[in-house]
């Protein structure tokens, strides 16, 4: 089974037109490069009203700083960071833009302050948040930051934001940022998948299962069947790229049996 999955990964790089698929120390990473409907990425939820008034700040210096900032005054990056830590979503968004121009900025800061911005309704910062999260080390990322990512992504996913739902799937699992899926989360994801209907997430989950098979010499026997079931569902999608990729993967899964391999 592992040999089949490795072969699938190799061929998939050709199917998707990639020179090679990225590798981690533990397993190959299979990317889902098919973009979702752009309109679903704009679904926004205000998870946290954040800082709405300078009066909410205990520090007189911060109160003066926030008033100056929202009146158009100049503020330094360190001052933006301080306001963002206090819950100011706009300051967090501005600070993320500064971090994105700094080659020395770490991914954890970009992800965390983006999460503050997204949580206060600034959906345009979700892209940088998720991109940065893919660079994080699950073993070292602070637990309070991980809780923040979860508190922001889950409500957006359940509200119908396809990008957030895909991220919830991507970051859940053994050895991943959010850890193993709970049954409650698994059931909710299944419910949301039925709503989306384009097969992208099913395809992504199937790729993740194939990744697990390729990374293990003793993968659970039913993983390939789970992957096949998901690929069959994705293969019936009205999205041509999703359907074609899923159907190609199904043929590759079944090919060894036909050849006796």
């Amino acid at each position: 089974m592992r040999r089949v999955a490795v072969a699938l990964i190799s061929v998939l790089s050709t199917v998707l037109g990639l020179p090679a698929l990225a590798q981690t120390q533990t397993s190959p990473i299979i990317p889902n490069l098919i973009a979702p409907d752009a309109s679903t990425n704009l679904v926004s939820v205000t998870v946290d009203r954040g800082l709405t008034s300078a009066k909410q700040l205990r520090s007189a210096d911060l109160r003066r700083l926030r008033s100056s900032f929202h009146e158009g005054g100049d503020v330094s990056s360190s001052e933006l960071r301080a306001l963002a830590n206090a819950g100011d979503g706009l300051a967090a968004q501005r600070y993320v833009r500064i971090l994105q121009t700094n080659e020395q900025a770490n991914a954890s800061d970009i992800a965390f302050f983006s999460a503050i911005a997204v949580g206060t309704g600034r959906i345009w910062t979700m892209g940088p948040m998720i991109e940065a999260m893919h660079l994080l080390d699950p073993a070292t990322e602070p637990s309070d930051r991980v809780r923040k990512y979860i508190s922001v992504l889950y409500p957006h996913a359940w509200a119908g934001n396809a990008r957030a739902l895909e991220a919830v799937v991507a970051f859940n699992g053994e050895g991943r940022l959010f850890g193993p899926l709970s049954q409650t989360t698994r059931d909710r994801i299944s419910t949301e998948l039925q709503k989306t209907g384009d097969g992208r997430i099913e395809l992504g989950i199937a790729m993740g299962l194939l990744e697990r098979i390729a990374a293990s010499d003793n993968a659970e026997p039913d993983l390939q069947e789970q992957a096949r079931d998901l690929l069959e569902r994705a293969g019936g999608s009205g999205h041509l790229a999703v359907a074609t990729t899923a159907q190609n993967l199904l043929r590759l899964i079944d090919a060894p049996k036909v050849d006796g391999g």
Side-chain angles (χ1 to χ4, degrees):
M1 185 181 297
R2 185 176 188 273
R3 180 174 58 82
V4 173
V6 172
L8 283 168
I9 293 167
S10 177
V11 175
L12 184 58
S13 66
T14 302
V15 171
L16 295 178
L18 299 174
L21 292 180
Q23 300 272 332
T24 67
Q25 292 182 344
T26 57
S27 65
I29 302 299
I30 309 177
N32 186 353
L33 301 182
I34 302 169
D37 181 350
S39 64
T40 64
N41 289 343
L42 300 180
V43 175
S44 180
V45 177
T46 300
V47 177
D48 182 357
R49 291 187 64 200
L51 189 62
T52 58
S53 169
K55 294 179 181 179
Q56 295 172 263
L57 294 166
R58 295 181 180 180
S59 164
D61 288 341
L62 278 179
R63 287 196 294 271
R64 285 193 294 270
L65 177 58
R66 185 179 188 275
S67 296
S68 174
F69 170 57
H70 284 270
E71 290 170 4
D74 292 331
V75 294
S76 68
S77 60
S78 61
E79 289 172 331
L80 283 174
R81 184 183 180 106
L83 286 173
N85 273 321
D88 190 313
L90 179 59
Q93 186 178 55
R94 296 276 180 84
Y95 184 55
V96 167
R97 291 173 183 168
I98 291 174
L99 290 174
Q100 288 179 298
T101 65
N102 181 359
E103 294 182 357
Q104 303 303 315
N106 66 70
S108 181
D109 278 351
I110 294 175
F112 177 67
F113 288 102
S114 292
I116 293 174
V118 175
T120 58
R122 291 166 174 84
I123 193 63
W124 297 104
T125 317
M126 182 175 285
M129 172 186 169
I130 294 174
E131 289 173 11
M133 288 173 65
H134 279 293
L135 302 176
L136 303 179
D137 183 345
T140 59
E141 185 66 6
S143 58
D144 59 330
R145 292 195 168 192
V146 173
R147 286 193 295 271
K148 181 66 175 180
Y149 308 144
I150 290 173
S151 73
V152 169
L153 278 180
Y154 277 38
H156 281 85
W158 308 155
N161 187 299
R163 176 183 282 166
L165 180 58
E166 186 168 329
V168 168
V169 172
F171 295 122
N172 271 288
E174 194 69 43
R176 298 187 181 185
L177 192 62
F178 293 170
L181 274 169
S182 67
Q183 188 59 50
T184 300
T185 302
R186 194 185 306 276
D187 292 343
R188 187 59 187 268
I189 288 173
S190 178
T191 298
E192 294 305 319
L193 289 178
Q194 294 174 22
K195 296 178 184 177
T196 61
D198 68 359
R200 287 186 70 260
I201 308 298
E202 288 91 335
L203 178 59
I205 297 175
M207 289 177 174
L209 291 175
L210 294 175
E211 174 191 331
R212 287 173 58 188
I213 295 169
S216 174
D217 291 320
N218 299 294
E220 297 93 324
D222 65 340
L223 286 186
Q224 189 162 316
E225 287 306 312
Q226 291 178 37
R228 179 182 282 105
D229 178 64
L230 289 162
L231 289 172
E232 287 175 349
R233 288 159 58 183
S237 168
H239 191 304
L240 180 59
V242 169
T244 300
T245 303
Q247 290 163 9
N248 285 336
L249 287 173
L250 279 169
R251 282 193 287 271
L252 289 168
I253 285 178
D254 293 333
K257 289 187 177 181
V258 173
D259 297 335

